[in-house]
Amino acid sequence: KAGVTQTPRYLIKTRGQQVTLSCSPISGHRSVSWYQQTPGQGLQFLFEYFSETQRNKGNFPGRFSGRQFSNSRSEMNVSTLELGDSALYLCASSSGTSGRDTQYFGPGTRLTVL
Amino acid sequence: AQSVTQPDIHITVSEGASLELRCNYSYGATPYLFWYVQSPGQGLQLLLKYFSGDTLVQGIKGFEAEFKRSQSSFNLRKPSVHWSDAAEYFCAVGAQGNEKLTFGTGTRLTIIP
């Protein structure tokens, strides 16, 4: 099976802009989670989508949002970018149905905000 | 709330030496525990996981980890490290029915020849 794919791999934006990141899960996986990784805060959970519904949410401001499509692909959007949003954004997929799932991660999107 | 502590920020070992990376967790019920490895600029690769049963878990690349409930620990071990093991290692805890993982701050492993 193909792994989790994320596009684009690298992105440069300026403050105030918005950005959309995409994640395609492993075939058959219905849960997609997003994480932000920074040197200062480490890996932090953003949100999780399952069957097009947000099922879990981390402690991030409303500028961070996401959605999931019927084919389980997911996008996350960050509006009004701030310098502190510069990070590696990781997407993970799992079956989402067993209650004891393993999450498989994509290579990430490196976002730089100037 | 669940939390994970990895007390060692950076560890240096010689190639061929044994390795132990420490992980302590805090969680009210039976945790699901994971070790992931990240090479520079890459995503996270799952090394091994513990859900229940045998407390000694075998993973990929010759790694193993032991779940010790009494010590709230899930330490990662390898008997003989290879230069290719140089990377950052993350311990994570999850909960049943919840996809959210809580990660430790990571341990960066350097291998010297």
Side-chain angles (χ1 to χ4, degrees):
Chain A
K1 279 185 180 178
V4 178
T5 58
Q6 293 186 244
T7 56
R9 292 293 310 277
Y10 301 92
L11 210 45
I12 299 176
K13 293 286 188 179
T14 56
R15 277 181 300 174
Q17 288 187 308
Q18 74 163 14
V19 67
T20 299
L21 313 181
S22 180
C23 172
S24 292
I26 292 170
S27 177
H29 284 186
R30 293 165 61 189
S31 170
V32 173
S33 298
W34 289 89
Y35 293 82
Q36 181 196 64
Q37 185 178 24
T38 60
Q41 300 298 316
L43 280 152
Q44 293 186 289
F45 173 79
L46 281 155
F47 32 65
E48 181 231 351
Y49 285 85
F50 178 80
S51 291
E52 303 179 64
T53 300
Q54 188 180 87
R55 194 162 65 169
N56 283 302
K57 188 178 188 304
N59 189 27
F60 277 80
R63 298 186 297 108
F64 292 82
S65 63
R67 60 177 175 168
Q68 187 179 34
F69 302 95
S70 58
N71 62 358
S72 294
R73 188 177 71 85
S74 176
E75 291 181 346
M76 68 163 281
N77 184 78
V78 188
S79 62
T80 320
L81 284 166
E82 301 177 359
L83 295 179
D85 297 333
S86 293
L88 181 67
Y89 290 88
L90 293 164
C91 160
S93 79
S94 67
S95 69
T97 57
S98 77
R100 48 192 296 172
D101 293 316
T102 298
Q103 292 196 37
Y104 297 91
F105 284 79
T109 294
R110 171 74 64 185
L111 172 65
T112 302
V113 182
L114 303 175
Chain B
Q2 56 207 49
S3 66
V4 177
T5 301
Q6 293 181 250
D8 304 306
I9 296 172
H10 185 203
I11 284 183
T12 300
V13 299
S14 299
E15 190 168 14
S18 64
L19 171 70
E20 182 168 27
L21 302 182
R22 296 182 291 166
C23 172
N24 292 96
Y25 69 89
S26 173
Y27 184 64
T30 300
Y32 295 157
L33 295 160
F34 305 83
W35 275 99
Y36 286 88
V37 61
Q38 185 178 38
S39 297
Q42 301 299 310
L44 301 173
Q45 181 183 21
L46 178 70
L47 286 175
L48 46 78
K49 60 190 177 187
Y50 172 79
F51 287 151
S52 64
D54 194 347
T55 57
L56 185 62
V57 180
Q58 301 298 319
I60 63 171
K61 304 185 180 185
F63 285 94
E64 67 177 27
E66 187 171 11
F67 171 62
K68 292 185 177 180
R69 184 187 299 275
S70 62
Q71 298 177 21
S72 298
S73 69
F74 189 57
N75 294 347
L76 182 71
R77 301 193 295 248
K78 186 170 185 178
S80 176
V81 298
H82 186 262
W83 62 266
S84 60
D85 293 324
E88 187 141 24
Y89 291 79
F90 292 92
C91 180
V93 63
Q96 183 173 8
N98 188 330
E99 303 302 297
K100 173 186 173 182
L101 291 177
T102 298
F103 285 88
T105 49
T107 297
R108 185 160 62 92
L109 176 64
T110 298
I111 309 293
I112 55 176

